[in-house]
Amino acid sequence: MGPSLRLIALLLSLCMIDNIAASARSDEMRVTLLGTGTPFPSAERFGSAILVGVAGKRFLFDCGRGVVIRLTQSGVNPKDIDGLFLTHLHSDHVVGIPDLWLSGWFLGRTKPLPIWGPPGTRSMAEHLVQAFGFDIRIRQAPPDPLPAKGVEIDAKEIEQGEIYNDGLARVSAFPVDHGTVKPAFGYRIDSAGHSVVISGDTKFCQNLVDFAKGADCLIHAAWSAGWKNSTPPSKRSIASAEDAGRVFAIVKPKLGVVYHYKDEEGLGDAVRKEYNGPFVIARDLMVINVGKTVTWNGKSSAGTTPDGDKPRR
Ligand SMILES: [Zn+2]
């Protein structure tokens, strides 16, 4: 990287606002839905990625298409992601990894990028290093080399249970039921008496229900309303909106959130068939604060309507 590029990278870093520290109380969790879409390309809804600001850390759950653009729109420099957690290795959850990893390095990361994920994560990381060998070599060459540590990936393969605990924040992983995709995981994040659960891709799953007990905010995949999906229920690998509604009805979160949907038609009504409590249909860049109360984009979950905000088209 030449001096002028280095200057641009530095200016970008300085311009990015520390949105976690500036906007959330220190004992609150701040969830930003960076990407709420599916493998189908959409300019409105990017690939799966959820940013969780918790106890001074910025954790990313999945790393789908466009994640670096959405992080930048949220005022977060990709170099400042403290850890990436993968629910499973379907491409729409991981294709953003090279961009997060290498752009984060270019923008100033000096430490390895930690990635937790299912078996196969370590192999993927090793092959990414091979695939991008040219870029890695060139950017470490004189006259303006980037630090070698910043392009390392610290890949850790997970199983059910607590996988991260720094005394202030805990992350637990639990297997979910994504059909033939085994293993696939969901995650629970706990801090200061507050909790967020992310389903990952799953159909109705009792293990998720068990791990989500008492969760303040439950973010659940829902492909479409059941009647919009031509695949028979027994052959589906991901929840319908009715399935997500059933999970919300059992867990009773302060706020249920449906994401990773392909078809929005009838989605809110389908959740409402099974569940009377507060929920919202996710949009890219929606922000949820999880503290004593749960609010999203400034609104209280107590006043949530099934449709949430209509998308801005
Ligand atoms: Zn999947």
Side-chain angles (χ1 to χ4, degrees):
M1 180 162 59
S4 58
L5 279 178
R6 177 58 66 80
L7 183 65
I8 290 167
L10 179 67
L11 285 173
L12 260 175
S13 308
L14 291 174
C15 288
M16 287 177 173
I17 303 155
D18 183 352
N19 78 329
I20 308 286
S23 309
R25 287 163 45 101
S26 60
D27 62 346
E28 286 189 345
M29 275 188 258
R30 182 183 169 103
V31 178
T32 307
L33 295 150
L34 297 173
T36 63
T38 66
F40 292 88
S42 161
E44 285 178 353
R45 297 195 301 108
F46 285 9
S48 271
I50 299 176
L51 175 68
V52 178
V54 54
K57 294 283 198 301
R58 293 179 187 84
F59 291 141
L60 191 58
F61 294 84
D62 285 334
C63 202
R65 177 189 298 129
V67 62
V68 163
I69 302 296
R70 290 292 193 237
L71 278 173
T72 304
Q73 287 176 294
S74 300
V76 175
N77 187 324
K79 81 177 173 64
D80 291 327
I81 295 301
D82 294 296
L84 168 62
F85 298 83
L86 303 175
T87 60
H88 63 300
L89 300 183
H90 258 158
S91 61
D92 58 312
H93 295 252
V94 302
V95 289
I97 293 177
D99 198 7
L100 176 81
W101 163 53
L102 294 168
S103 299
W105 184 41
F106 177 81
L107 290 168
R109 191 181 58 245
T110 56
K111 299 181 292 191
L113 174 66
I115 304 182
W116 290 260
T121 299
R122 199 169 285 130
S123 167
M124 189 175 64
E126 287 164 6
H127 286 90
L128 281 174
V129 171
Q130 275 183 36
F132 289 91
F134 179 90
D135 183 70
I136 292 168
R137 200 171 56 250
I138 287 291
R139 291 194 193 280
Q140 289 186 86
D144 200 10
L146 292 181
K149 277 276 168 214
V151 77
E152 288 180 16
I153 299 176
D154 180 11
K156 304 167 231 268
E157 296 185 342
I158 60 170
E159 36 189 59
Q160 173 164 304
E162 186 177 282
I163 55 169
Y164 176 89
N165 188 343
D166 62 14
L168 296 172
R170 285 180 288 131
V171 180
S172 305
F174 51 89
V176 293
D177 185 358
H178 191 21
T180 55
V181 185
K182 292 182 193 308
F185 289 91
Y187 288 102
R188 176 177 176 125
I189 308 103
D190 284 277
S191 180
H194 309 308
S195 49
V196 172
V197 168
I198 297 168
S199 73
D201 285 8
T202 185
K203 42 192 174 182
F204 181 93
C205 175
Q206 186 59 46
N207 199 38
L208 182 151
V209 168
D210 295 344
F211 267 83
K213 205 170 169 215
D216 294 315
C217 179
L218 172 52
I219 303 167
H220 203 293
W223 190 251
S224 64
W227 60 272
K228 291 288 291 179
N229 190 339
S230 54
T231 310
S234 60
K235 296 213 166 122
R236 288 179 200 161
S237 60
I238 195 159
S240 65
E242 288 88 340
D243 294 329
R246 279 171 65 207
V247 175
F248 294 154
I250 300 168
V251 173
K252 298 183 178 60
K254 288 179 184 163
L255 183 67
V257 181
V258 287
Y259 84 126
H260 202 278
Y261 55 92
K262 174 175 180 277
D263 189 338
E264 190 178 348
E265 188 185 358
L267 203 68
D269 290 342
V271 174
R272 189 55 85 209
K273 260 196 256 171
E274 301 289 337
Y275 171 64
N276 281 325
F279 76 96
V280 66
I281 297 172
R283 312 278 179 221
D284 281 22
L285 299 173
M286 179 181 277
V287 174
I288 301 168
N289 281 312
V290 181
K292 280 202 183 96
T293 57
V294 179
T295 57
W296 55 277
N297 286 12
K299 296 166 197 154
S300 163
S301 63
T304 303
T305 58
D307 291 335
D309 268 345
K310 288 290 178 198
R312 291 177 292 276
R313 292 181 198 278

